[in-house]
Amino acid sequence: MLIKFTEAQELLRDTAREFTKNEVEPRDRAMDENGFDWDLFHKIAENGFMGVQIPEEYGGGGGNFVDGTIVVHEIAKGSASAATFLGAHWLGANLILDNGTEEQKKKYLPLAAQDKIFAFGLTEASAGSDAAGIKSVCEKQADGSWILNGGKAWITNSGIADYYIILALTDPSAGTHGISAFILPKDTEGLTVGKFEKKMGMRGTATCELAFDNIHLPADALLGQEGKGFMMAMQTLDIGRFNAAAICAGICEHAMEIAKKYANERKTFGKPIKAYQGISFRFADMVAETKAMEFLAYDAAYVKDAGKRCTVEAACAKLFASEHGLQICIDAQQVLGGNGYSAEYDVERFVRDIRLWGVGEGSTEILRMVVSGSYLNS
């Protein structure tokens, strides 16, 4: 790897890898059948992964974005759902870290570093890729407080989160410059959480609709500057995208390991199927493309850690990973033949899980617009 980890990062990688082997991977099939695993969540919190990217002064591990990418990459090798849960939690916490007042940071970040779950609420039923089309409204009152109405859809960690970072219109006439962010505790009166969605994959994550009915929020619920919510969200999505790329790489590595074991053990016409060029060349492509996915994910994280915008790097990483990752999982499934279609061999679950990333955190169509627009107009 051209990107060199520090000794501390290598230790973090090895710790996350061992934790995944012992605690995460054995639970993934059950999560696919039964949903979010609270016991695993408590183990994740006990081992300090919730606060990996939160500064030590707020009770976290003091890591950077590369550290976080390492963790979700390793955990995704055992469960895409567990890694996605953690990445979504970090998005909410990072919005507070980057934009909150000192009082908000001291109040919420120690909770995020311990065992309180955060979620980032941007998407609505009629505003997915077109995030600027959100309809939720938060009206400022004479005493400085706010009243929130509207709803959200497809929010990872909804239904299990202790705190939501919600984007809403505070000035509908100002377009994207009229969107602001608010911190919403789960027990706030007027918040209704809908049923858990039945999904194709990522069934170990919690996804519900949220409804806001005249929710009264105090003045200090506003996160960052009024009207800056959209800009904050776009910068946060950069982080979500390179984390998604790392998760895709982890899923693919897991699928490839299962396919490799099968290709060594399964024999036809007197020899293992790995001896056939049609199989071996398939592995060559899978290995090369997975390596590229890793490089792109970590490259974007390094750019972010350098204090630079990584919008294009993150978009490239996720675009490549979501499309090639799906094909890699299908190719791994093909190696197993009919067994690949059986839940017993797990790869069919990986196909279902990785499919999320073609639409989540920005669809492939939107990412192509981001990358092409940056390149052609530079």
Side-chain angles (χ1 to χ4, degrees):
M1 180 176 287
L2 296 174
I3 297 170
K4 179 68 175 176
F5 290 160
T6 65
E7 288 186 12
Q9 288 171 337
E10 290 179 348
L11 177 60
L12 176 64
R13 178 200 61 199
D14 294 344
T15 300
R17 186 171 293 175
E18 188 70 14
F19 178 80
T20 298
K21 178 181 177 182
N22 295 331
E23 301 290 351
V24 180
E25 183 177 351
R27 301 168 185 259
D28 192 45
R29 187 183 297 181
M31 285 193 284
D32 185 61
E33 296 171 353
N34 303 313
F36 186 76
D37 187 326
W38 283 100
D39 185 57
L40 177 58
F41 157 66
H42 291 304
K43 290 181 181 294
I44 288 172
E46 288 167 6
N47 282 271
F49 294 120
M50 298 286 281
V52 164
Q53 297 181 146
I54 295 174
E56 293 179 356
E57 64 185 292
Y58 301 115
N64 57 23
F65 292 108
V66 170
D67 293 331
T69 305
I70 290 170
V71 170
V72 293
H73 181 200
E74 293 299 328
I75 290 181
K77 295 176 185 178
S79 172
S81 291
T84 300
F85 150 76
L86 197 53
H89 166 75
W90 289 342
L91 287 184
N94 190 75
L95 276 163
I96 295 175
L97 177 61
D98 282 351
N99 304 285
T101 63
E102 190 59 32
E103 290 75 15
Q104 288 171 330
K105 293 177 185 180
K106 289 180 178 178
K107 179 177 180 180
Y108 295 108
L109 292 180
L111 300 176
Q114 295 168 13
D115 59 358
K116 298 301 181 185
I117 301 172
F118 282 67
F120 171 40
L122 172 63
T123 305
E124 298 182 2
S126 60
S129 294
D130 180 17
I134 64 174
K135 305 296 184 185
S136 294
V137 174
C138 204
E139 297 183 42
K140 194 171 187 177
Q141 306 302 296
D143 62 357
S145 65
W146 302 87
I147 295 182
L148 173 65
N149 282 285
K152 296 293 175 181
W154 299 110
I155 307 303
T156 303
N157 294 347
S158 55
I160 62 169
D162 297 285
Y163 297 96
Y164 298 91
I165 310 301
I166 299 296
L167 266 67
L169 291 165
T170 49
D171 183 358
S173 67
T176 58
H177 298 289
I179 298 174
S180 303
F182 297 88
I183 303 172
L184 176 65
K186 68 174 183 179
D187 56 0
T188 303
E189 185 177 354
L191 171 62
T192 300
V193 179
K195 63 179 178 62
F196 289 97
E197 297 284 354
K198 293 182 179 180
K199 301 173 292 186
M200 173 181 175
M202 292 290 186
R203 295 175 179 173
T205 61
T207 310
C208 307
E209 286 191 350
L210 303 174
F212 316 131
D213 182 15
N214 286 323
I215 294 178
H216 290 258
L217 295 172
D220 61 5
L222 176 68
L223 178 63
Q225 297 180 37
E226 187 176 341
K228 298 295 184 181
F230 185 78
M231 180 187 69
M232 292 158 50
M234 294 303 101
Q235 292 175 347
T236 298
L237 284 177
D238 292 344
I239 303 168
R241 286 168 181 170
F242 62 68
N243 277 339
I247 292 171
C248 287
I251 298 170
C252 291
E253 288 172 65
H254 196 177
M256 287 162 55
E257 283 299 312
I258 292 173
K260 182 174 78 171
K261 181 180 178 181
Y262 190 87
N264 277 278
E265 295 175 351
R266 171 68 167 163
K267 292 183 178 180
T268 61
F269 307 105
K271 57 184 177 180
I273 62 172
K274 71 174 183 180
Y276 297 99
Q277 189 177 86
I279 298 295
S280 64
F281 277 18
R282 191 182 295 272
F283 275 96
D285 291 341
M286 289 192 290
V287 171
E289 290 169 0
T290 301
K291 284 292 184 184
M293 290 159 59
E294 290 183 41
F295 285 137
L296 287 167
Y298 282 109
D299 175 65
Y302 268 93
V303 171
K304 182 69 175 178
D305 278 332
K308 302 175 183 177
R309 270 307 283 274
C310 65
T311 298
V312 174
E313 289 84 357
C316 286
K318 183 179 173 295
L319 174 61
F320 185 89
S322 60
E323 298 221 323
H324 288 269
L326 177 60
Q327 188 59 53
I328 288 168
C329 288
I330 291 173
D331 286 346
Q333 187 181 40
Q334 187 71 15
V335 171
L336 274 68
N339 287 322
Y341 203 65
S342 169
E344 179 182 353
Y345 285 81
D346 297 317
V347 179
E348 62 85 27
R349 182 172 73 253
F350 306 157
V351 174
R352 291 187 285 107
D353 284 345
I354 204 167
R355 183 64 185 90
L356 165 71
W357 297 119
V359 292
E361 301 287 359
S363 66
T364 54
E365 291 80 7
I366 291 296
L367 297 180
R368 283 190 166 92
M369 290 171 62
V370 171
V371 175
S372 63
S374 174
Y375 181 76
L376 293 172
N377 297 317
S378 63

